Amino acid sequence: MKYMQMKYMWLALAAPLFLTACTEEDDHASVPEYTKFDYPEWAATARPEIALPPTYWTVAFGGGVETPDWQPTQAAPMAAPRWKNPDMHVYPASMTAIIRTSDYIRPDITADDQLAAFIGTECRGVAEQIEGADGETLYLLQVKADQSEVREVEFRYYSARKQEIFIASERVPFEADITMGSVDTPTEMTWNSQGELPYYMDVEVSVDLSSFDDATVADGDMVAAFVGDECRGMGTAETDDNGNFVFRFRMWGRNVSEQFAFKYYTATLKDVYTYEVPFYMQHTGKQTLNINLDEHGFMDLYVRLPETLRPYMREGDDMAAFVNGYPCSIVQDRLQENYMLKMKGRKGDKVSFRFYSDSLKHVFATPDCVTYADAGTWGNTTDYQTLPLETAFKLVNMRAVFAVEHYEAINTTLAEGDLLAAFVGDECRGVAKAELYDGQLIYDMQVVGTLGVNEEFVLKYYHPGNRYMFTCNKVFDFEAGGAIGSRNQPMGITLQVIE
């Protein structure tokens, strides 16, 4: 079937004879012109992003969680400033201040620390360290200005050990020839960090495990404060004055409105528990907190894949149960399309599922469809529960190779580079350019389909030479993994020009 469309060239060949036979009234007869279309931007619908095999879905059960590596986030270090005293001749007036730093700064004071006074953006004095009445380090500062200066003085402090700059909340108006504080009663201020984690508070946490069957707080246990997945402070078990285990540590915040959660690691059970009650920062505060935890239980889940996915099962597939977006299960057994999972959770947890298909390279998910019941089951070995996985994604395709057997358009010759596209409704699912193969024009395309959905597609054709658009009356059934025609035996189609 080579250039079968050439048999319709009689229309063009017959045109001169037709025109010769015309009467004078027909002298102006012309070849028909059809509607012209701009070059179409046809592009097949893209499949969802390729999913990689999950590496974090399996959680450890009794005795499986090693000591977590909770590392509190550290603020980026701040460079030491280059504060210098102003020219004494420019600013003849001065006020004196003797300043004591805060409890947070004081333990880390070194000779490289700096305290300076500013009026506006200009440094008006750099302090020297002096010894206070009880041997602590104080700062003696001369603030320089004009005699008529009335603007406020701002105090800044750099801690070399913390690599952090602080600014005092308190500002004072400049007043010549006065002294703020003394060696015996130095001026104290509130120093606010200018780093990434400027807010902090100290907590003393007690953990209540009275509802556990066989566990008590012990050496090696840990408590950490988290904002999302970011650790903001961590403490290990230590004994208080009464011999009870407590966890003392400082927690850090980026802003005072952040919500914190606490996680507890028990070395006895080798497991991690989350305390869900929200907690908020109280800057520079100290608070005692008791967290009451319930022991994690277990639930057995007997589930199976929906029929749509069963033909695509492979060795590299994976399955997991999720609570609040986190995996909480292990696969104990798999028999063909059936899975037996064991999960851990707490009473009332809403459970969803995810399935990774290695052949389709996609993660399928369910909505919450099970409520956790301690020591409970969902399904059994004779009644596996079919998971309500959402499967209607464009993940499958079929091969289709066409050739035009007949078309109706005067003065038109199909050519290489013409476009043929497959559509489901108004959605383009495949595009091919005409190519010459073994003496005829063929159109070889991959048609994208929706997994588990019976779909039909139609064809549209574009001829760039004349800018004509054609349709094809035939409707084709989409078959995932199937084929229509081949390069050696393409499926013949008939086209109708859009007039």
Side-chain angles (χ1 to χ4, degrees), residues 353-374:
F353 296 84
R354 297 182 193 177
F355 170 70
Y356 170 74
S357 170
D358 189 53
S359 61
L360 295 172
K361 298 293 186 285
H362 187 74
V363 174
F364 300 88
T366 74
D368 291 337
C369 54
V370 183
T371 300
Y372 176 83
D374 204 17

Side-chain angles (χ1 to χ4, degrees), residues 128-355:
E128 61 176 299
Q129 293 181 352
I130 63 172
E131 185 174 322
D134 57 358
E136 69 174 328
T137 299
L138 302 178
Y139 286 86
L140 174 62
L141 176 65
Q142 294 287 327
V143 184
K144 305 297 291 183
D146 291 324
Q147 192 72 34
S148 60
E149 182 66 74
V150 294
R151 288 182 295 170
E152 291 185 329
V153 180
E154 178 184 87
F155 298 93
R156 302 180 189 179
Y157 190 91
Y158 174 72
S159 170
R161 185 167 291 166
K162 296 179 183 295
Q163 294 183 293
E164 199 168 358
I165 292 175
F166 301 82
I167 295 179
S169 296
E170 299 82 3
R171 295 190 178 193
V172 297
F174 179 82
E175 188 174 350
D177 302 326
I178 69 164
T179 299
M180 294 172 46
S182 66
V183 172
D184 294 325
T185 56
T187 297
E188 297 194 36
M189 296 179 174
T190 303
W191 296 95
N192 298 315
S193 171
Q194 304 303 297
E196 294 179 14
L197 297 166
Y199 302 97
Y200 69 92
M201 72 174 297
D202 295 316
V203 291
E204 181 178 299
V205 179
S206 299
V207 179
D208 184 353
L209 303 181
S210 58
S211 66
F212 283 51
D213 292 334
D214 186 23
T216 57
V217 180
D219 284 326
D221 290 4
M222 302 161 57
V223 171
F226 282 82
V227 175
D229 295 329
E230 188 176 30
C231 182
R232 295 291 187 80
M234 189 272 295
T236 55
E238 56 183 280
T239 54
D240 62 12
D241 294 338
N242 298 317
N244 300 315
F245 280 110
V246 296
F247 302 83
R248 299 185 179 100
F249 58 94
R250 175 163 285 165
M251 46 189 283
W252 305 88
R254 299 187 188 279
N255 58 71
V256 292
S257 62
E258 287 183 313
Q259 181 174 304
F260 290 79
F262 291 92
K263 292 184 180 181
Y264 168 68
Y265 171 73
T266 163
T268 303
L269 299 179
K270 293 189 178 298
D271 209 346
V272 175
Y273 294 80
T274 300
Y275 184 63
E276 298 291 354
V277 179
F279 186 85
Y280 295 91
M281 172 70 66
Q282 299 174 24
H283 183 41
T284 72
K286 295 181 180 181
Q287 185 166 338
T288 299
L289 178 67
N290 182 65
I291 60 177
N292 193 325
L293 298 172
D294 296 322
E295 188 169 10
H296 289 162
F298 308 111
M299 183 177 181
D300 293 322
L301 309 166
Y302 299 84
V303 298
R304 69 188 311 180
L305 295 178
E307 187 173 352
T308 300
L309 288 174
R310 293 172 196 171
Y312 300 95
M313 294 186 69
R314 299 289 186 273
E315 185 65 30
D317 296 348
D318 202 357
M319 171 90 70
F322 281 71
V323 172
N324 295 325
Y326 292 94
C328 57
S329 67
I330 59 172
V331 176
Q332 289 193 299
D333 194 16
R334 171 183 167 181
L335 180 62
Q336 296 179 348
E337 70 268 19
N338 299 326
Y339 285 83
M340 178 180 173
L341 306 178
K342 181 179 286 292
M343 70 163 289
K344 60 181 177 181
R346 292 173 299 178
K347 182 179 179 180
D349 279 347
K350 301 299 181 183
V351 185
S352 63
F353 296 84
R354 297 182 193 177
F355 170 70

